[in-house]
Amino acid sequence: MNIDNTLHSKPAVGTGLVAGLDTARSAQLFEAACKLIPGGVNSTARATWSGWSPYPLFVKSGQGSRVTDVDGNEYIDYLLGLGPMIFGHRPPRVTQAVVDFIQNRGTVFALPTEDEARLAQKVIDAVPSIDQVRLCNTGTEAVLYATRLARAFTRRHKIIRFEGMYHGFSDGVYWSKHPAIDKAGPDAHPIAVAQGPGMPRGVEDNLIILPWNDPQALAETIAREGDSIAAVLTEPVMCNTGCILPQPGYLEAMREITSKHGIVLIFDEVITGFRLGLGGAQARLGIKPDLSVFAKGIGGGFPVAAMGGRADIMALVANGTVSMAGTYSANGIAIAAANAALDELATPGLHAQLDAVSDELRAGLGKVLADAGLPAYVVGIGPLMQVWFARKPIHNYRDAERHADQEIFRRWWQGMLARGVLFHPGAYENLFVSTAHTRADIAATLDAARAVAAELARSV
């Protein structure tokens, strides 16, 4: 897709989003929005150049596992707000907690409430590596603080991050998310590529970019430059280039190497946290990082994030050496939502049931694709997954760039959307499952998948 041309193109009101699906009202609303909002949307993930071409769906409402657009089309929703809606839309317990807090107490006080400590205790009890925790507003903000804290604690300046991962849009880490391979250096030794223009010069000098799932590259880099490396920043499961699982032993090797060299290991669990289990991916996979970042799952659909970890590192926040500020941090809405969400997530058997429904979808999709003879497979863990249309295994970003068929994925997305199944049109996003999804939803999704897979098989 030519980004420059897309940025300046007019919305194609006369062209439907997907054949056989009436989305005329979405087209009209997008045309009007473009006159007022740059690109017509308020986040890149909703933009035309992220796959919502010629315009995104405009939503009227959501309830449970379903969303309805402004044209009256209803979809089984696996987009789930890009992850936050772990209980589906308008979960009663979380929604009521927020309403009660606003009506009975307020919203923002710039003073603490006892509810904050109750929430902190729930996070500490749930996540193995957390001794102390601070609340933030977004994952971007939490990552910014985590990297700053790691640098202050180690008195080193470099951060290792991995190609294909997204850790928010702050200048310090918004590099090498999805770079053009021909501009990103050799496979074993990538160079930092800014995600776009406007980055301050010299930021890249503080970054070391590595391929993921390559323990040798990590070990060699730390052996060579360990004295200047403050932190290794990683998702425990790669979730921003589709879904890519860590190879057996990789995270264990990462933990061992960073501990040996006094490097802070930061897990970005914005997507995996509280979703892959109450203790996040780190509990599920048995790895204990030094600092962790959470966002989407913790708020049950409301904007709240958290950053926490070892007490000796968090002590720099406690004594004021590293400032963590924010007028809206720990506001009443966020606190009420997160307290209610964590209570819900702590329900015995909840994650086991969520896994069971998710496993049924993942295995079912895999069988549908295999039965159709398509060059495709499903990768995932728990309620997080993606379909790869590829003839080779994908272990890192460059594998995805070289082997994933984005065109077939788009046709897959179009066919599923036309049959009432919603997920992101980009292969580098994910399908999410919520506690609101039922086995009837899964059955309907698989019925749609069989029809679409058959159509694709005739043309591939």
Side-chain angles (χ1 to χ4, degrees), residues 293-314:
V293 170
F294 307 96
K296 300 186 178 190
I298 194 174
F302 288 85
V304 56
M307 188 279 291
R310 284 169 32 192
D312 58 334
I313 301 177
M314 298 301 291

PDB file of all heavy atoms in Angstrom, residues 293-314:
ATOM      1  N   VAL A 293       4.885  -4.108  32.643  1.00  0.00           N
ATOM      2  CA  VAL A 293       3.961  -3.065  32.216  1.00  0.00           C
ATOM      3  C   VAL A 293       2.635  -3.727  31.830  1.00  0.00           C
ATOM      4  O   VAL A 293       2.626  -4.729  31.124  1.00  0.00           O
ATOM      5  CB  VAL A 293       4.536  -2.298  31.007  1.00  0.00           C
ATOM      6  CG1 VAL A 293       3.497  -1.374  30.404  1.00  0.00           C
ATOM      7  CG2 VAL A 293       5.778  -1.529  31.416  1.00  0.00           C
ATOM      8  N   PHE A 294       1.536  -3.149  32.301  1.00  0.00           N
ATOM      9  CA  PHE A 294       0.199  -3.674  32.016  1.00  0.00           C
ATOM     10  C   PHE A 294      -0.695  -2.541  31.532  1.00  0.00           C
ATOM     11  O   PHE A 294      -0.491  -1.389  31.887  1.00  0.00           O
ATOM     12  CB  PHE A 294      -0.423  -4.297  33.272  1.00  0.00           C
ATOM     13  CG  PHE A 294       0.440  -5.329  33.924  1.00  0.00           C
ATOM     14  CD1 PHE A 294       1.259  -5.002  34.993  1.00  0.00           C
ATOM     15  CD2 PHE A 294       0.457  -6.632  33.457  1.00  0.00           C
ATOM     16  CE1 PHE A 294       2.075  -5.943  35.593  1.00  0.00           C
ATOM     17  CE2 PHE A 294       1.264  -7.596  34.052  1.00  0.00           C
ATOM     18  CZ  PHE A 294       2.079  -7.245  35.122  1.00  0.00           C
ATOM     19  N   ALA A 295      -1.714  -2.897  30.742  1.00  0.00           N
ATOM     20  CA  ALA A 295      -2.705  -1.898  30.354  1.00  0.00           C
ATOM     21  C   ALA A 295      -4.013  -2.577  30.010  1.00  0.00           C
ATOM     22  O   ALA A 295      -4.855  -2.763  30.877  1.00  0.00           O
ATOM     23  CB  ALA A 295      -2.203  -1.009  29.216  1.00  0.00           C
ATOM     24  N   LYS A 296      -4.169  -3.054  28.804  1.00  0.00           N
ATOM     25  CA  LYS A 296      -5.482  -3.373  28.251  1.00  0.00           C
ATOM     26  C   LYS A 296      -6.353  -4.255  29.149  1.00  0.00           C
ATOM     27  O   LYS A 296      -7.495  -3.915  29.429  1.00  0.00           O
ATOM     28  CB  LYS A 296      -5.304  -3.997  26.877  1.00  0.00           C
ATOM     29  CG  LYS A 296      -4.586  -3.059  25.918  1.00  0.00           C
ATOM     30  CD  LYS A 296      -4.514  -3.567  24.517  1.00  0.00           C
ATOM     31  CE  LYS A 296      -3.822  -2.544  23.628  1.00  0.00           C
ATOM     32  NZ  LYS A 296      -3.909  -2.839  22.204  1.00  0.00           N
ATOM     33  N   GLY A 297      -5.850  -5.370  29.599  1.00  0.00           N
ATOM     34  CA  GLY A 297      -6.682  -6.288  30.350  1.00  0.00           C
ATOM     35  C   GLY A 297      -7.052  -5.817  31.734  1.00  0.00           C
ATOM     36  O   GLY A 297      -8.040  -6.275  32.313  1.00  0.00           O
ATOM     37  N   ILE A 298      -6.285  -4.900  32.285  1.00  0.00           N
ATOM     38  CA  ILE A 298      -6.459  -4.534  33.686  1.00  0.00           C
ATOM     39  C   ILE A 298      -7.699  -3.681  33.925  1.00  0.00           C
ATOM     40  O   ILE A 298      -8.222  -3.638  35.044  1.00  0.00           O
ATOM     41  CB  ILE A 298      -5.197  -3.794  34.216  1.00  0.00           C
ATOM     42  CG1 ILE A 298      -5.209  -3.709  35.743  1.00  0.00           C
ATOM     43  CG2 ILE A 298      -5.062  -2.416  33.609  1.00  0.00           C
ATOM     44  CD1 ILE A 298      -3.937  -3.119  36.315  1.00  0.00           C
ATOM     45  N   GLY A 299      -8.210  -3.009  32.896  1.00  0.00           N
ATOM     46  CA  GLY A 299      -9.296  -2.058  33.099  1.00  0.00           C
ATOM     47  C   GLY A 299     -10.654  -2.505  32.625  1.00  0.00           C
ATOM     48  O   GLY A 299     -11.626  -1.757  32.753  1.00  0.00           O
ATOM     49  N   GLY A 300     -10.753  -3.695  32.044  1.00  0.00           N
ATOM     50  CA  GLY A 300     -12.041  -4.168  31.581  1.00  0.00           C
ATOM     51  C   GLY A 300     -12.714  -3.255  30.583  1.00  0.00           C
ATOM     52  O   GLY A 300     -13.942  -3.202  30.496  1.00  0.00           O
ATOM     53  N   GLY A 301     -11.915  -2.523  29.805  1.00  0.00           N
ATOM     54  CA  GLY A 301     -12.465  -1.627  28.789  1.00  0.00           C
ATOM     55  C   GLY A 301     -12.304  -0.155  29.106  1.00  0.00           C
ATOM     56  O   GLY A 301     -12.658   0.698  28.289  1.00  0.00           O
ATOM     57  N   PHE A 302     -11.760   0.155  30.277  1.00  0.00           N
ATOM     58  CA  PHE A 302     -11.523   1.556  30.639  1.00  0.00           C
ATOM     59  C   PHE A 302     -10.023   1.852  30.603  1.00  0.00           C
ATOM     60  O   PHE A 302      -9.205   0.952  30.824  1.00  0.00           O
ATOM     61  CB  PHE A 302     -12.085   1.848  32.033  1.00  0.00           C
ATOM     62  CG  PHE A 302     -13.585   1.891  32.070  1.00  0.00           C
ATOM     63  CD1 PHE A 302     -14.326   0.728  32.219  1.00  0.00           C
ATOM     64  CD2 PHE A 302     -14.260   3.092  31.922  1.00  0.00           C
ATOM     65  CE1 PHE A 302     -15.711   0.759  32.231  1.00  0.00           C
ATOM     66  CE2 PHE A 302     -15.642   3.135  31.938  1.00  0.00           C
ATOM     67  CZ  PHE A 302     -16.373   1.968  32.090  1.00  0.00           C
ATOM     68  N   PRO A 303      -9.636   3.090  30.311  1.00  0.00           N
ATOM     69  CA  PRO A 303      -8.214   3.421  30.165  1.00  0.00           C
ATOM     70  C   PRO A 303      -7.485   3.479  31.503  1.00  0.00           C
ATOM     71  O   PRO A 303      -7.696   4.383  32.308  1.00  0.00           O
ATOM     72  CB  PRO A 303      -8.233   4.798  29.482  1.00  0.00           C
ATOM     73  CG  PRO A 303      -9.564   5.382  29.834  1.00  0.00           C
ATOM     74  CD  PRO A 303     -10.507   4.223  29.959  1.00  0.00           C
ATOM     75  N   VAL A 304      -6.631   2.498  31.720  1.00  0.00           N
ATOM     76  CA  VAL A 304      -5.799   2.450  32.925  1.00  0.00           C
ATOM     77  C   VAL A 304      -4.606   1.553  32.617  1.00  0.00           C
ATOM     78  O   VAL A 304      -4.707   0.603  31.851  1.00  0.00           O
ATOM     79  CB  VAL A 304      -6.593   1.925  34.139  1.00  0.00           C
ATOM     80  CG1 VAL A 304      -7.204   0.557  33.858  1.00  0.00           C
ATOM     81  CG2 VAL A 304      -5.739   1.876  35.394  1.00  0.00           C
ATOM     82  N   ALA A 305      -3.469   1.881  33.186  1.00  0.00           N
ATOM     83  CA  ALA A 305      -2.246   1.102  32.989  1.00  0.00           C
ATOM     84  C   ALA A 305      -1.492   1.042  34.308  1.00  0.00           C
ATOM     85  O   ALA A 305      -1.809   1.763  35.259  1.00  0.00           O
ATOM     86  CB  ALA A 305      -1.377   1.725  31.895  1.00  0.00           C
ATOM     87  N   ALA A 306      -0.482   0.172  34.344  1.00  0.00           N
ATOM     88  CA  ALA A 306       0.303   0.018  35.559  1.00  0.00           C
ATOM     89  C   ALA A 306       1.720  -0.393  35.205  1.00  0.00           C
ATOM     90  O   ALA A 306       1.962  -1.044  34.191  1.00  0.00           O
ATOM     91  CB  ALA A 306      -0.331  -1.026  36.480  1.00  0.00           C
ATOM     92  N   MET A 307       2.652  -0.004  36.060  1.00  0.00           N
ATOM     93  CA  MET A 307       4.046  -0.411  35.930  1.00  0.00           C
ATOM     94  C   MET A 307       4.554  -0.760  37.318  1.00  0.00           C
ATOM     95  O   MET A 307       4.375  -0.002  38.265  1.00  0.00           O
ATOM     96  CB  MET A 307       4.882   0.720  35.321  1.00  0.00           C
ATOM     97  CG  MET A 307       6.318   0.330  34.961  1.00  0.00           C
ATOM     98  SD  MET A 307       7.478   0.326  36.347  1.00  0.00           S
ATOM     99  CE  MET A 307       7.594   2.081  36.695  1.00  0.00           C
ATOM    100  N   GLY A 308       5.167  -1.931  37.439  1.00  0.00           N
ATOM    101  CA  GLY A 308       5.672  -2.328  38.748  1.00  0.00           C
ATOM    102  C   GLY A 308       6.753  -3.364  38.638  1.00  0.00           C
ATOM    103  O   GLY A 308       7.093  -3.828  37.546  1.00  0.00           O
ATOM    104  N   GLY A 309       7.298  -3.748  39.801  1.00  0.00           N
ATOM    105  CA  GLY A 309       8.350  -4.746  39.794  1.00  0.00           C
ATOM    106  C   GLY A 309       9.061  -4.843  41.113  1.00  0.00           C
ATOM    107  O   GLY A 309       8.460  -4.673  42.180  1.00  0.00           O
ATOM    108  N   ARG A 310      10.361  -5.109  41.040  1.00  0.00           N
ATOM    109  CA  ARG A 310      11.183  -5.326  42.231  1.00  0.00           C
ATOM    110  C   ARG A 310      11.176  -4.106  43.143  1.00  0.00           C
ATOM    111  O   ARG A 310      11.256  -2.965  42.675  1.00  0.00           O
ATOM    112  CB  ARG A 310      12.618  -5.640  41.814  1.00  0.00           C
ATOM    113  CG  ARG A 310      12.816  -7.038  41.297  1.00  0.00           C
ATOM    114  CD  ARG A 310      14.172  -7.248  40.648  1.00  0.00           C
ATOM    115  NE  ARG A 310      15.254  -6.448  41.216  1.00  0.00           N
ATOM    116  CZ  ARG A 310      16.456  -6.315  40.652  1.00  0.00           C
ATOM    117  NH1 ARG A 310      16.700  -6.910  39.483  1.00  0.00           N
ATOM    118  NH2 ARG A 310      17.391  -5.587  41.223  1.00  0.00           N
ATOM    119  N   ALA A 311      11.155  -4.362  44.434  1.00  0.00           N
ATOM    120  CA  ALA A 311      11.098  -3.262  45.405  1.00  0.00           C
ATOM    121  C   ALA A 311      12.342  -2.388  45.339  1.00  0.00           C
ATOM    122  O   ALA A 311      12.254  -1.165  45.507  1.00  0.00           O
ATOM    123  CB  ALA A 311      10.924  -3.825  46.812  1.00  0.00           C
ATOM    124  N   ASP A 312      13.530  -2.982  45.103  1.00  0.00           N
ATOM    125  CA  ASP A 312      14.752  -2.168  45.081  1.00  0.00           C
ATOM    126  C   ASP A 312      14.785  -1.226  43.887  1.00  0.00           C
ATOM    127  O   ASP A 312      15.365  -0.129  43.966  1.00  0.00           O
ATOM    128  CB  ASP A 312      15.999  -3.044  45.125  1.00  0.00           C
ATOM    129  CG  ASP A 312      16.084  -4.041  43.970  1.00  0.00           C
ATOM    130  OD1 ASP A 312      15.024  -4.430  43.425  1.00  0.00           O
ATOM    131  OD2 ASP A 312      17.208  -4.437  43.603  1.00  0.00           O
ATOM    132  N   ILE A 313      14.152  -1.622  42.782  1.00  0.00           N
ATOM    133  CA  ILE A 313      14.082  -0.726  41.627  1.00  0.00           C
ATOM    134  C   ILE A 313      12.998   0.325  41.848  1.00  0.00           C
ATOM    135  O   ILE A 313      13.216   1.525  41.622  1.00  0.00           O
ATOM    136  CB  ILE A 313      13.801  -1.507  40.336  1.00  0.00           C
ATOM    137  CG1 ILE A 313      14.891  -2.555  40.090  1.00  0.00           C
ATOM    138  CG2 ILE A 313      13.713  -0.562  39.144  1.00  0.00           C
ATOM    139  CD1 ILE A 313      14.655  -3.428  38.869  1.00  0.00           C
ATOM    140  N   MET A 314      11.846  -0.105  42.328  1.00  0.00           N
ATOM    141  CA  MET A 314      10.744   0.827  42.588  1.00  0.00           C
ATOM    142  C   MET A 314      11.078   1.818  43.704  1.00  0.00           C
ATOM    143  O   MET A 314      10.426   2.862  43.828  1.00  0.00           O
ATOM    144  CB  MET A 314       9.476   0.049  42.934  1.00  0.00           C
ATOM    145  CG  MET A 314       8.956  -0.859  41.823  1.00  0.00           C
ATOM    146  SD  MET A 314       8.553   0.008  40.277  1.00  0.00           S
ATOM    147  CE  MET A 314       7.098   0.939  40.788  1.00  0.00           C
TER     148      MET A 314
END
